[in-house]
Amino acid sequence: MESLLTDMRYGLRMLIKTPGLSAVAILTIALGVGLTTHTFSIVYGSVIRGLDFDRGTTLVNLSEDIPSRGIRGQGIPVLDLIDFREQQTAFRGLGAFTMGTINLADEESRPERFQGAFVSASLFAQVDGVPILGRVFNPEEDAGIGEPVVILGYNVWQNRYAGDPNIVGKTVRANAEAATVVGVMPQGFHFPINQEVWLPLNIDPLQAERGANRAGVVGRLREGVSIEQADVQMRQIAGRLAEAYPETNEGVGVWVQPYEDLIMPPAIVNVLWIMLGSVFGVLLIACFNVANLLLARALVRSKEVAVRSALGADRSRLIRQFLMEAGVLAVVGGALGVVFAYFGIGAFNASIADIDKPYWIDIRLDGPAVIFTLGITAVAALVAGVLPAVRASGGHVHDILKDESRGSSSLRMGRFSTALVIGEIALSCALLVAAGMMVKSVINVNTVDMGFEGDNVFTARLGLFESDYPDDEARVRFFDRLVEELNAEPGVVAAGLTTNLPALGAARPRVAIEGVAYPDVTDQPLSSRINITPGYLDALSVAVIEGRDFGPQDRAGAMPTVIVNESFARRHFGVETPIERRFRAGEEQLWMTIVGLVPDIFLGSGGGPFGSGVSPDQFFVPIAQQTDIRFVSITVKTRGEPGPFAADARDILARIDPDLPFYRVRTMEESVETATFMFTIFGRLFTTFGVAALFLAAVGLYGVMAFSVSRRTQELGVRMAMGAEAEDVMWLVLAKGMKQLGIGIVLGLLMGAAMVRPLATVFFDVNPSDPTVYVAIVATLGLAGLVACLIPARRATRIELVDALRPD
């Protein structure tokens, strides 16, 4: 123990003697450890921690799988669920739910809309949902037989009802119906995703139809039962149902998957793991840099080490002292890295504060992250210290003591140091390729032609209840009045309604063009459908290219009309005009006549916010001609800033229906930013990794080249004394550095090309093989490397012979 303390004190003295080198090493490790800890905390909080249940059993999701129709993942009909419950033995139970928004209204407060769910009584047992006040639903309430009831989330109870301890038993209006509060859920419970209020599923099995009334289904596996075993059993049950009910269940299977996979798609999870692997590359570069620094110092101390060995110092003792120095650097750097990670995690959480993420995602610097940091700090110490220690203590004493010159020491940095630098450059280049793709994605998102003008556009969403608006006629009257009063406001240029705001995706039914034969339903192409009112296109400053906009004549009972975008027209009609052509959409049997042609409007891709470019085909249907429209968003073009219009919009809605609230109140710019946040977040993270890697690689290359020049001072001085030109000496030094740079870049480009393929999920309109990105990376890294080599090379040309021949 005393020997260990002596080695530690000695290591500290050596670090204090070289404060510049020690500071660079500490900051290098801190950068690597900080980024790695920060990224691990994100991955751990998003993917690894997951849902925490008692006894560690797995929650799985069950959904329909119909290969013949290309359908996978839709909800399970309630009568099938009942059969599954009775016949299965793999689960502790099965619960059902559907998600939606729930409006709460009462006399004391203004109405508010909350994220909610309609759940079966059995669901809470599957997700450890034990209320802190009251109870959960009972089977009668589940089936819609009992009196209307509601369960509140902890935050709603605290914020809306001031934590009233007597809240259970009180009556509130939930979705326009008087309902009794029967329970309050504990803080942190928000199942299925981020819900705050729960109502009974309200499906009576005696009234349900086979193949209808679908809901999401979850179940907890029994101990000892794997997902694979549960999947086999559920498919067997589905096969029996297909035999018993061929009209509705033939060819219908069941897909069993972990519940987290339903909410966090595997593609996004893979990106997170790649991100963690990438930041390990940054840590490795940092360790290589410190190893090179320590190796350089070991070269300077070669004679000291040789003398100590000649005096009887044991090699293991020498190695331990070198390792102790690296360990001290790693500990101090790791501690500073934790500070960097702490502030980085805070900044990351602030950037996703407004994102509706699953409730179990909790990103923080907690126990697992600290343990991880200790582990990578130990790894950093070993990687940075072992090889220099072994090489420094492994020289032949006689040869080292005989060697008097600075230029020919037997302990040269040589091939090992060169390999480290090449490895740094290769890792840096690979990370820069990924960062380049991400940067281009962010640029594309910010510069994409949206097809509309989002400036000064206010948006908000609302939903109508069946009890207050029982039929299409009542809903259309409400929509008409809302649009009329919005347009009557002095500060409004134009206002309209839509079911789907730009960038947020849309339903994509199959379409059948009149006169075109389709061998099978699956041969009919998909297209995005958006329902709108007159005024919507004007609010977005979208001009009709051909034909006309919707008007008051496009009502129920009139000729069904539709407006298509340019992509739709090109795909289905080529250069011919689409006006007066007809098609059907989805399961609707009515032929719709095209009355207008508009530019492509950005909706996201594939029905969602991720992917590339504009959704290719779009068509717009009048809300007044569409049945069962309950949820709409208002779009209001204002003369001034749109934010202040929120108060006016709420006043208008209160005059029409005081029980209805607006929610998702945003400007159009905020709405688009929310929809495309994933590109921005991953873009910032990978850009940070790439810049850090580039900086570390350039510093590493500079350090090696500068040290090489310092050790070759005598050689270079003699060359110049014998007539070598300054340019010759400069190119001699540059050639070595640029050779390392070139090899590293080639290896890095190959690594980067392999890395970016699985990252395509979060690219926006970027081809993973885009040559412009690769050219930009080569130019950036080449320039940084050239500067790193040029400074030592220019220093070499200023060596004086008298300085070169001066003894150590």
Side-chain angles (χ1 to χ4, degrees):
M1 185 67 181
E2 183 178 349
S3 175
L4 185 64
L5 291 175
T6 301
D7 291 340
M8 184 178 295
R9 287 193 294 269
Y10 180 78
L12 285 172
R13 285 200 302 271
M14 294 305 300
L15 296 178
I16 294 173
K17 285 178 62 177
T18 54
L21 182 147
S22 300
V24 171
I26 287 170
L27 288 175
T28 299
I29 291 177
L31 183 59
V33 170
L35 284 175
T36 309
T37 302
H38 168 266
T39 307
F40 173 80
S41 299
I42 294 174
V43 175
Y44 187 86
S46 302
V47 178
I48 301 175
R49 181 183 286 116
L51 286 163
D52 184 21
F53 291 129
D54 65 326
R55 293 186 288 176
T57 51
T58 302
L59 182 73
V60 302
N61 181 77
L62 281 67
S63 57
E64 280 195 340
D65 184 15
I66 313 176
S68 62
R69 296 172 55 190
I71 295 175
R72 194 179 206 192
Q74 71 178 5
I76 291 181
V78 67
L79 293 183
D80 288 357
L81 170 60
I82 293 172
D83 290 328
F84 288 154
R85 281 176 176 166
E86 294 174 350
Q87 300 182 40
Q88 67 85 24
T89 58
F91 301 97
R92 291 168 45 180
L94 296 176
F97 68 92
T98 61
M99 290 184 286
T101 54
I102 296 175
N103 179 51
L104 291 182
D106 45 66
E107 295 180 357
E108 292 80 11
S109 306
R110 295 188 66 167
E112 288 184 87
R113 197 84 183 180
F114 297 96
Q115 293 293 329
F118 304 82
V119 303
S120 67
S122 59
L123 177 79
F124 294 100
Q126 309 310 313
V127 295
D128 290 349
V130 180
I132 56 174
L133 292 177
R135 61 174 176 85
V136 296
F137 302 137
N138 59 45
E140 289 75 22
E141 295 161 346
D142 183 12
I145 300 173
E147 295 296 321
V149 292
V150 62
I151 294 175
L152 304 178
Y154 182 88
N155 293 337
V156 175
W157 174 51
Q158 288 291 320
N159 298 331
R160 184 173 177 84
Y161 299 104
D164 181 2
N166 300 313
I167 189 66
V168 173
K170 290 193 174 181
T171 300
V172 300
R173 285 180 61 82
N175 281 359
E177 286 190 338
T180 302
V181 178
V182 296
V184 176
M185 300 308 292
Q187 187 174 15
F189 181 87
H190 301 282
F191 192 86
I193 298 179
N194 202 15
Q195 272 52 45
E196 298 281 2
V197 182
W198 296 266
L199 292 176
L201 191 58
N202 203 17
I203 298 178
D204 185 354
L206 298 178
Q207 304 296 323
E209 297 181 7
R210 179 70 60 176
N213 305 111
R214 299 179 184 277
V217 175
V218 295
R220 290 273 289 283
L221 291 174
R222 294 186 186 276
E223 293 186 43
V225 178
S226 68
I227 290 182
E228 292 74 17
Q229 291 171 327
D231 186 68
V232 170
Q233 184 183 87
M234 297 310 296
R235 289 184 182 277
Q236 291 173 344
I237 298 173
R240 292 197 290 269
L241 294 181
E243 293 178 359
Y245 310 101
E247 293 184 359
T248 57
N249 290 65
E250 185 175 0
V252 178
V254 179
W255 182 26
V256 179
Q257 63 178 144
Y259 180 72
E260 291 98 324
D261 289 355
L262 175 70
I263 307 302
M264 290 286 288
I268 298 299
V269 173
N270 290 339
V271 170
L272 290 172
W273 283 112
I274 293 171
M275 187 174 72
L276 182 59
S278 299
V279 81
F280 266 113
V282 177
L283 177 64
L284 199 57
I285 293 173
C287 293
F288 284 175
N289 263 354
V290 176
N292 262 330
L293 288 172
L294 295 180
L295 189 60
R297 188 168 65 180
L299 175 55
V300 175
R301 295 168 56 191
S302 59
K303 288 187 175 61
E304 171 206 332
V305 173
V307 170
R308 294 176 63 191
S309 296
L311 293 175
D314 183 69
R315 187 184 183 191
S316 62
R317 178 71 181 274
L318 296 174
I319 291 176
R320 191 170 66 197
Q321 287 183 349
F322 276 98
L323 283 177
M324 190 61 66
E325 293 178 33
V328 172
L329 290 173
V331 169
V332 178
L336 185 58
V338 170
V339 176
F340 290 167
Y342 175 81
F343 287 104
I345 291 169
F348 181 81
N349 282 328
S351 70
I352 63 172
D354 296 329
I355 304 303
D356 189 20
K357 58 186 181 298
Y359 73 92
W360 62 84
I361 290 182
D362 184 12
I363 299 169
R364 62 182 187 271
L365 192 64
D366 56 2
V370 172
I371 293 172
F372 175 82
T373 302
L374 293 175
I376 61 173
T377 300
V379 170
L382 288 173
V383 173
V386 167
L387 293 176
V390 172
R391 290 181 64 85
S393 62
H396 295 289
V397 176
H398 180 268
D399 295 335
I400 295 174
L401 293 177
K402 184 174 64 177
D403 188 356
E404 294 293 340
S405 70
R406 286 177 292 180
S408 57
S409 174
S410 60
L411 185 57
R412 297 185 186 279
M413 303 203 44
R415 294 179 180 176
F416 174 73
S417 183
T418 299
L420 288 182
V421 172
I422 290 174
E424 288 185 47
I425 295 170
L427 287 171
S428 173
C429 184
L431 289 172
L432 283 172
V433 171
M437 298 293 180
M438 292 294 183
V439 169
K440 188 163 186 179
S441 293
V442 174
I443 292 173
N444 289 345
V445 168
N446 293 329
T447 59
V448 67
D449 182 8
M450 295 285 178
F452 66 91
E453 294 182 9
D455 297 341
N456 296 339
V457 176
F458 172 84
T459 73
R461 195 157 179 83
L462 62 90
L464 303 182
F465 311 116
E466 189 173 3
S467 57
D468 292 340
Y469 303 91
D471 51 42
D472 294 329
E473 185 178 350
R475 290 188 284 272
V476 169
R477 282 198 304 270
F478 172 87
F479 295 146
D480 286 344
R481 182 180 174 188
L482 178 60
V483 171
E484 180 182 351
E485 296 212 16
L486 287 171
N487 278 305
E489 285 293 306
V492 171
V493 176
L497 307 180
T498 180
T499 52
N500 303 87
L501 288 173
L504 296 181
R508 287 178 61 80
R510 297 189 180 277
V511 298
I513 307 298
E514 186 178 34
V516 178
Y518 301 95
D520 189 79
V521 173
T522 57
D523 295 315
Q524 297 175 358
L526 297 172
S527 183
S528 297
R529 176 176 62 197
I530 307 97
N531 302 96
I532 64 174
T533 65
Y536 169 76
L537 296 176
D538 291 335
L540 298 183
S541 303
V542 175
V544 177
I545 300 172
E546 185 179 357
R548 65 173 177 86
D549 193 356
F550 295 135
Q553 71 273 29
D554 300 302
R555 317 290 291 181
M559 177 186 71
T561 55
V562 64
I563 294 172
V564 300
N565 73 339
E566 290 181 292
S567 289
F568 187 102
R570 276 194 306 269
R571 179 176 185 181
H572 298 291
F573 308 114
V575 296
E576 297 180 5
T577 178
I579 304 301
E580 300 299 327
R581 298 293 297 270
R582 301 200 307 171
F583 66 91
R584 294 188 299 203
E587 299 179 357
E588 300 169 5
Q589 298 302 312
L590 295 176
W591 291 102
M592 298 182 294
T593 300
I594 299 174
V595 298
L597 175 69
V598 296
D600 295 347
I601 296 177
F602 177 68
L603 284 177
S605 182
F610 304 112
S612 299
V614 176
S615 182
D617 305 336
Q618 305 164 23
F619 64 93
F620 301 86
V621 178
I623 284 179
Q625 292 187 342
Q626 190 72 34
T627 60
D628 203 27
I629 298 293
R630 299 178 182 276
F631 290 86
V632 296
S633 294
I634 65 171
T635 54
V636 182
K637 180 78 169 182
T638 59
R639 301 187 190 280
E641 288 295 321
F645 186 74
D648 297 329
R650 288 191 174 100
D651 290 340
I652 291 171
L653 186 59
R655 290 199 300 268
I656 301 173
D657 188 336
D659 286 338
L660 282 181
F662 280 126
Y663 62 105
R664 297 179 191 167
V665 177
R666 302 165 179 155
T667 67
M668 182 62 76
E669 292 177 344
E670 292 170 341
S671 179
V672 172
E673 288 175 2
T674 300
T676 57
F677 79 95
M678 188 67 74
F679 302 113
T680 303
I681 288 177
F682 281 115
R684 289 173 180 171
L685 289 173
F686 275 93
T687 299
T688 301
F689 303 157
V691 170
L694 175 64
F695 171 76
L696 290 175
V699 169
L701 183 59
Y702 167 79
V704 169
M705 295 308 300
F707 187 81
S708 176
V709 169
S710 70
R711 300 309 298 172
R712 297 175 65 185
T713 299
Q714 187 178 78
E715 172 200 341
L716 297 175
V718 170
R719 283 175 180 268
M720 296 186 68
M722 296 180 67
E725 297 292 335
E727 291 79 5
D728 297 330
V729 173
M730 177 179 291
W731 282 112
L732 180 67
V733 176
L734 277 177
K736 180 181 179 181
M738 298 310 290
K739 180 180 179 181
Q740 298 175 37
L741 183 65
I743 296 173
I745 287 176
V746 171
L747 294 176
L749 290 177
L750 295 175
M751 294 167 57
M755 177 190 296
V756 297
R757 296 292 172 180
L759 290 176
T761 304
V762 289
F763 291 165
F764 183 88
D765 205 17
V766 174
N767 186 338
S769 301
D770 189 341
T772 60
V773 175
Y774 290 93
V775 170
I777 297 309
V778 171
T780 301
L781 192 54
L783 180 61
L786 179 62
V787 172
C789 295
L790 193 60
I791 297 174
R794 288 179 59 83
R795 185 180 302 159
T797 64
R798 294 192 291 268
I799 294 174
E800 299 291 342
L801 180 60
V802 65
D803 295 327
L805 297 179
R806 183 181 296 121
D808 287 334

